[in-house]
Amino acid sequence: MAAPSLEAPRSTPYRRSTSRRSNYEMYSWLFMRLSGAVLVVLVIGHLFVNLMVGDGISGLDFGFVAGKWASPFWQVWDLAMLWLAMIHGSNGVRTIINDYAQRDMTRIVLKTLVLVALVFTVVLGTLVIFTFEPCPVGPDGAFLEGVPSFCTS
Amino acid sequence: MATETSTRSVVPQGTLYRGREGMWSWVAHRITGLLIFVFLLVHVLDTSLVRVAPEAYNAVIETYKNPVVGLGEAGLVGAVLFHAFNGIRVMLVDFWSQGPRFHRQMLWAVGALWVLLMVPFLVRHLSNVFGG
Ligand code: HEM
Ligand code: HEM
């Protein structure tokens, strides 16, 4: 008589879960933590340089921005901060909407608004950094009112 | 210690997000995150005035230089610092093996760090806002 045999598993390869959903929420969770770690440096650095160093808040004007964006270092800094903070913030607000908005329609409308705000703000902010002109001239070829002093010297 | 024991029997222990510090820090994290997000939308919009004209940007920045906005900026910085340090705390709870055990102590560390940075910041910022 043959030895008793075990039935083969029903499915191969063996799966613990029958769910075939994507891992989107897991990546979103991970992104919140990774972007947060980078944002600590970017945002606190931004606040320190603009509010603590030099004249602090009293020193902010067009010339201050021109001085910073003359350097690719601060351009890249602000660009990374813009993208990471906006995606991190929008994704966080998405979670909040999912938690509190109960009707399907309300959720769809609110999340669409967040997406529009995200795309609009990131595009606008990116264009501003890349097209910034420290010494703008008017149609008559003369410098506009309020350009920093280094333009004229 | 009698009260301590009786609270213990009512509030389930080993709970991270229900009641007490775990829950209130989460509420504060949520409110500060939302606040910073709304600020950022306005902030990028007004910074974009540098592409309109130097005078346009300077005019708007000038209207911000008053005590009301100055105090608002102080509140924003307070919110950012809390959200940032508490965010690190959340990461430690999630990734550090001892994190869940020390989550309460870490909230105290967040508070201590917050006070440590807010004091010199407020001295500097408020003397700019209210001084000459
Ligand atoms: C009271 C506090 C703040 C002040 C006075 C301030 C001031 C400024 C100034 C003067 C600029 C022009 C460029 C530069 O200096 O780098 C700027 C740009 C920027 N700031 Fe802030 N900032 C503050 C808070 C924040 C916070 C909390 C965030 C992040 C959540 C942030 C994100 C940005 C971004 C992304 C840009 C680039 C904007 C663009 O691409 O057009 N700022 N900020
Ligand atoms: C400064 C560094 C930052 C760190 C370390 C950080 C960290 C975090 C972490 C770890 C979470 C996930 C919390 C959870 O899953 O329970 C989170 C959520 C969130 N963050 Fe940040 N964040 C930072 C900056 C920002 C900025 C600049 C904004 C706004 C533009 C923002 C808005 C939010 C929002 C709205 C949430 C969702 C809150 C919730 O679901 O309750 N954060 N943050």
Side-chain angles (χ1 to χ4, degrees):
Chain A
M1 210 174 124
S5 64
L6 285 175
E7 212 182 316
R10 269 166 301 175
S11 60
T12 44
Y14 177 66
R15 281 170 150 274
R16 272 173 182 280
S17 115
T18 50
S19 160
R20 280 161 198 251
R21 278 175 304 166
S22 75
N23 280 334
Y24 181 80
E25 290 301 336
M26 192 276 281
Y27 289 119
S28 143
W29 180 93
L30 194 61
F31 173 79
M32 289 310 273
R33 279 143 186 83
L34 295 180
S35 58
V38 181
L39 281 168
V40 172
V41 177
L42 293 178
V43 176
I44 295 182
H46 181 67
L47 292 174
F48 187 77
V49 170
N50 289 7
L51 297 176
M52 294 295 281
V53 177
D55 294 331
I57 192 89
S58 317
L60 298 191
D61 60 6
F62 184 87
F64 177 88
V65 181
K68 269 183 95 175
W69 282 347
S71 141
F73 178 82
W74 290 115
Q75 288 185 319
V76 172
W77 184 292
D78 284 355
L79 195 68
M81 183 166 62
L82 171 74
W83 281 70
L84 286 178
M86 279 307 299
I87 299 175
H88 175 105
S90 305
N91 198 226
V93 173
R94 183 185 67 92
T95 305
I96 300 179
I97 293 171
N98 281 339
D99 278 357
Y100 299 118
Q102 311 213 326
R103 289 179 50 230
D104 282 355
M105 203 52 209
T106 322
R107 270 203 308 279
I108 292 172
V109 169
L110 289 177
K111 284 197 266 187
T112 308
L113 285 176
V114 170
L115 185 66
V116 170
L118 166 66
V119 173
F120 175 82
T121 309
V122 164
V123 169
L124 176 70
T126 304
L127 283 176
V128 166
I129 294 175
F130 281 121
T131 65
F132 181 71
E133 173 54 66
C135 304
V137 288
D140 56 355
F143 287 124
L144 291 183
E145 204 70 35
V147 293
S149 52
F150 62 73
C151 297
T152 44
S153 60
Chain B
M1 280 296 105
T3 43
E4 179 72 15
T5 342
S6 61
T7 341
R8 266 163 202 272
S9 57
V10 178
V11 178
Q13 292 300 296
T15 299
L16 261 172
Y17 291 107
R18 194 163 102 200
R20 310 221 301 199
E21 297 91 336
M23 185 178 92
W24 294 111
S25 65
W26 169 81
V27 170
H29 195 80
R30 183 158 267 200
I31 294 174
T32 50
L34 201 56
L35 184 94
I36 303 164
F37 180 73
V38 173
F39 162 81
L40 188 56
L41 299 181
V42 181
H43 186 48
V44 174
L45 211 58
D46 58 32
T47 301
S48 73
L49 287 172
V50 296
R51 288 295 293 119
V52 176
E55 283 295 271
Y57 183 77
N58 288 345
V60 168
I61 294 298
E62 211 48 48
T63 66
Y64 290 164
K65 291 180 181 169
N66 65 67
V68 177
V69 177
L71 288 175
E73 286 155 356
L76 175 77
V77 172
V80 169
L81 291 182
F82 173 80
H83 190 96
F85 299 147
N86 189 59
I88 297 175
R89 173 178 158 271
V90 169
M91 293 181 231
L92 285 172
V93 166
D94 290 341
F95 294 123
W96 176 39
S97 61
Q98 298 298 305
R101 203 170 136 211
F102 291 115
H103 81 98
R104 199 160 293 148
Q105 286 88 335
M106 289 196 292
L107 188 62
W108 283 103
V110 168
L113 207 56
W114 188 87
V115 172
L116 208 68
L117 293 193
M118 277 310 271
V119 169
F121 163 72
L122 285 178
V123 169
R124 176 94 180 87
H125 187 68
L126 295 183
S127 59
N128 266 323
V129 171
F130 292 100

